Amino acid sequence: MRLSQFFMPVLKETPSGAEIVSHQLMLRAGLVRQSAAGIYSWLPLGLRVLQKIEAIIREEQNKAGAIELLMPTIQPAEIWRESGRYDDYGKEMLRITDRHDRELLYGPTNEELITQIFRDSVKSYKDCPRTLYHIQWKFRDEIRPRFGVMRGREFLMKDAYSFDLSKEEARKSYQKMFISYLRTFERLGLKAIPMQADTGPIGGDLSHEFIILADTGESEVFCHKALLEKSALDTTIDFDDDLSPMMEQWTSHYAATEEMHDATRFEKEVASADQISARGIEVGHIFYFGEKYTKAMKCEVQGPDGKLVTLHGGSYGIGVSRLLGAIIEASHDEDGIIWPNSVAPFDVGIINLKPGDEATDSMCQQFYKALQDHGLDCLLDDTKERPGGKFKTMDLIGLPTQIIVGPKGLKNGIVEIKSRKTGMRQELETKELDIVTAITALTNKGL
RNA sequence: CGGGGUAUAGCUCAGCCUGGUAGAGCACUGGUUUUGGGAACCAGGGGUCGCGAGUUCGAAUCUUGCUGCCCCGACCA
């Protein structure tokens, strides 16, 4: 993409009203614009990141055996009456009436809808278990939206729902999602720590919040240092295997949000050198809820013995739009955003320091084409902006790698390549035939 | 939903107290000089001062009602 033909309105100054750094940077870098309190338009640069995050989530969900579908944003009130939640949900639910006076609502979540779909279509134990997911916009009419997309009213969420024949089977479905989440967040460049969450009236150990550490996090969290050093990617996982041992590795260390925190246990179980207490942002939440909806909504199948079995359900959410804010909170500096390679809106930014200069233009064009041919997405700054402004803008939008091409360097046969993350610059000789390969390698390593 | 703020150009804000022809910086347009980390100068364009009612010869400014947005709290993916 050539910047001169793109739509990327950046702001030099911090807009008033944006309190936390991720919100400020999202506005300044031209990722989003606010339409109303807690409701945002996604500008091209922001949309690209959103789509990259979605793609990673989708891959990992599919790998774990979940199946994608798409449910609507608008739902009939009827099924919510059936589950008993229509009245319970309160004012957070946006209720709508259509021209025929039929009661509708903008879905805040989809347990009812998926349960209806599943029970109407599945009648035999042979079609279980299944985990279905979709990535769809939700609306919760929060009393007080804030922190930009971190607590918006409209938000994009990946929500998955599992249907199993028994609690023990449901535990397996839960474990698949648990591991899938670890992998997903890690691929997004985040250290997400699973923390035991309150399961409410159902009880048990099958509810976890996935928390990333950030100074501006909404709640206080406590955990063992070892959890920050673990990886779920460096093993080859077969989701059909018994995942219990891996679950065990991840859940044996102390990790709790402030609601679940037990100071005495923390002191006793974790050596003080290993104790981490920090602030955290919740980016995912998974839980098993048993027969809560399936019973109320008669979601049953016939077992091998011909008897009806009420299915066991679980649901698994990732706040997709919130993740942009969370990633920025966890990865930025005073100059702007620092995107992890996996979600950056472009892989490489090429700065043409002097558009109109023949040698510079031609070198930029060569890089642009060659890198694109190597599967790297490029943003070429070919605008007439002054060099200083270009550097600032490129740092602000946080592309992982910058290639700086100007007449001065070219005179000596060099271009400069800079890592956004480390700030490290390195000069490369343009006569090297494999310069693109070199850049590709550097980019993959995150320079 | 309680408490507190705020609303003036695309953005950041001044002007309001003490009523008298709408301002600055940045951004934008044209020009000259610049040109490797947010340049300088010249000339321009851009506003129903959130909306309504009132007071007044006259309201961005005073009074009043409403609305939006923001912050703190309670609530939450």
Side-chain angles (χ1 to χ4, degrees):
Chain A
M1 180 61 67
R2 294 162 172 280
L3 186 55
S4 64
Q5 291 163 30
F6 197 40
F7 183 71
M8 193 181 85
V10 297
L11 303 172
K12 212 182 237 183
E13 288 173 277
T14 301
S16 69
E19 205 64 16
I20 62 168
V21 68
S22 61
H23 191 193
Q24 294 170 351
L25 289 173
M26 287 183 77
L27 292 168
R28 285 194 54 209
L31 268 49
V32 293
R33 284 293 181 268
Q34 179 165 316
S35 296
I39 300 175
Y40 293 84
S41 293
W42 294 81
L43 304 186
L45 206 62
L47 180 61
R48 281 179 160 257
V49 179
L50 204 55
Q51 288 171 337
K52 287 218 170 183
I53 294 174
E54 273 187 56
I56 289 173
I57 293 174
R58 194 169 269 126
E59 279 179 33
E60 291 298 329
Q61 288 288 293
N62 294 345
K63 200 173 288 175
I67 304 153
E68 186 171 13
L69 48 63
L70 183 60
M71 290 176 269
T73 54
I74 307 287
Q75 305 178 21
E78 196 187 356
I79 50 173
W80 284 72
R81 291 220 164 83
E82 206 179 323
S83 73
R85 282 211 290 182
Y86 192 68
D87 295 325
D88 292 350
Y89 221 92
K91 290 190 167 177
E92 253 189 25
M93 187 151 76
L94 181 63
R95 293 151 210 261
I96 307 166
T97 310
D98 72 8
R99 67 202 298 166
H100 304 294
D101 269 339
R102 276 194 280 258
E103 293 176 288
L104 301 169
L105 58 98
Y106 198 118
T109 178
N110 285 61
E111 279 85 5
E112 282 79 1
L113 199 41
I114 193 70
T115 301
Q116 182 190 40
I117 291 167
F118 202 79
R119 71 149 186 227
D120 289 351
S121 321
V122 173
K123 298 292 167 192
S124 162
Y125 73 96
K126 293 174 190 165
D127 294 320
C128 294
R130 289 290 186 278
T131 295
L132 303 170
Y133 77 97
H134 76 337
I135 298 175
Q136 178 63 291
W137 292 92
K138 308 282 190 291
F139 193 91
R140 291 183 194 171
D141 197 0
E142 298 286 342
I143 298 166
R144 180 146 111 78
R146 60 182 128 173
F147 304 147
V149 299
M150 297 264 284
R151 171 128 55 258
R153 290 194 291 173
E154 188 185 49
F155 56 97
L156 187 60
M157 183 173 170
K158 186 287 300 182
D159 39 328
Y161 303 91
S162 62
F163 294 92
D164 279 283
L165 294 165
S166 67
K167 179 167 183 184
E168 275 323 298
E169 289 293 304
R171 178 181 294 274
K172 291 182 192 166
S173 297
Y174 183 92
Q175 290 175 342
K176 287 182 186 177
M177 283 296 118
F178 184 99
I179 302 299
S180 167
Y181 274 37
L182 291 174
R183 295 176 54 86
T184 302
F185 292 126
E186 202 167 327
R187 285 185 61 190
L188 293 173
L190 294 170
K191 279 270 171 236
I193 303 165
M195 301 197 174
Q196 182 125 16
D198 193 358
T199 46
I202 297 150
D205 58 345
L206 293 181
S207 179
H208 288 88
E209 289 180 14
F210 289 77
I211 303 278
I212 69 163
L213 304 184
D215 294 339
T216 44
E218 59 220 313
S219 59
E220 205 165 359
V221 297
F222 307 84
C223 70
H224 193 293
K225 201 167 117 191
L227 286 165
L228 289 171
E229 282 134 33
K230 298 181 77 65
S231 169
L233 289 182
D234 55 11
T235 47
T236 45
I237 292 167
D238 183 343
F239 279 91
D240 291 328
D241 285 351
D242 181 8
L243 299 174
S244 300
M246 193 170 173
M247 278 287 290
E248 178 61 25
Q249 280 178 36
W250 279 89
T251 53
S252 57
H253 294 292
Y254 187 94
T257 59
E258 53 193 332
E259 300 84 40
M260 298 291 286
H261 183 51
D262 179 343
T264 325
R265 244 192 75 201
F266 191 44
E267 291 301 326
K268 208 158 65 185
E269 291 180 19
V270 186
S272 55
D274 293 331
Q275 289 180 358
I276 288 183
S277 67
R279 301 203 64 85
I281 301 168
E282 182 184 350
V283 288
H285 195 167
I286 60 177
F287 50 95
Y288 162 77
F289 48 67
E291 302 180 339
K292 183 169 178 191
Y293 302 101
T294 47
K295 200 165 183 178
M297 297 183 68
K298 288 201 169 42
C299 182
E300 306 167 321
V301 297
Q302 261 185 313
D305 57 0
K307 286 184 182 154
L308 288 176
V309 182
T310 300
L311 295 177
H312 289 246
S315 72
Y316 315 89
I318 293 178
V320 182
S321 48
R322 157 181 277 205
L323 271 168
L324 267 97
I327 290 169
I328 294 170
E329 287 296 328
S331 181
H332 68 271
D333 63 17
E334 60 281 359
D335 292 319
I337 300 168
I338 302 172
W339 289 115
N341 292 357
S342 59
V343 299
F346 294 93
D347 301 303
V348 181
I350 304 172
I351 298 179
N352 182 337
L353 287 174
K354 191 167 187 181
D357 178 85
E358 205 176 309
T360 311
D361 285 350
S362 136
M363 186 56 68
C364 285
Q365 192 52 39
Q366 278 180 49
F367 274 123
Y368 185 77
K369 191 173 179 312
L371 289 167
Q372 294 278 155
D373 289 347
H374 278 69
L376 292 171
D377 247 341
C378 292
L379 180 66
L380 169 59
D381 187 347
D382 56 344
T383 63
K384 297 228 166 71
E385 180 80 38
R386 296 166 54 80
K390 294 191 176 193
F391 291 132
K392 288 291 182 190
T393 299
M394 202 54 89
D395 284 348
L396 174 64
I397 66 172
L399 306 185
T401 306
Q402 301 174 8
I403 298 173
I404 300 157
V405 184
K408 280 188 191 168
L410 288 183
K411 212 173 288 173
N412 302 317
I414 58 140
V415 296
E416 214 173 301
I417 175 165
K418 176 186 155 183
S419 157
R420 175 64 182 87
K421 189 173 183 177
T422 63
M424 199 181 87
R425 296 144 163 265
Q426 142 178 9
E427 293 183 340
L428 293 181
E429 297 197 13
T430 56
K431 65 183 176 198
E432 287 178 37
L433 286 174
D434 61 346
I435 190 164
V436 170
T437 317
I439 290 167
T440 309
L442 289 167
T443 306
N444 289 342
K445 274 191 304 194
L447 199 67

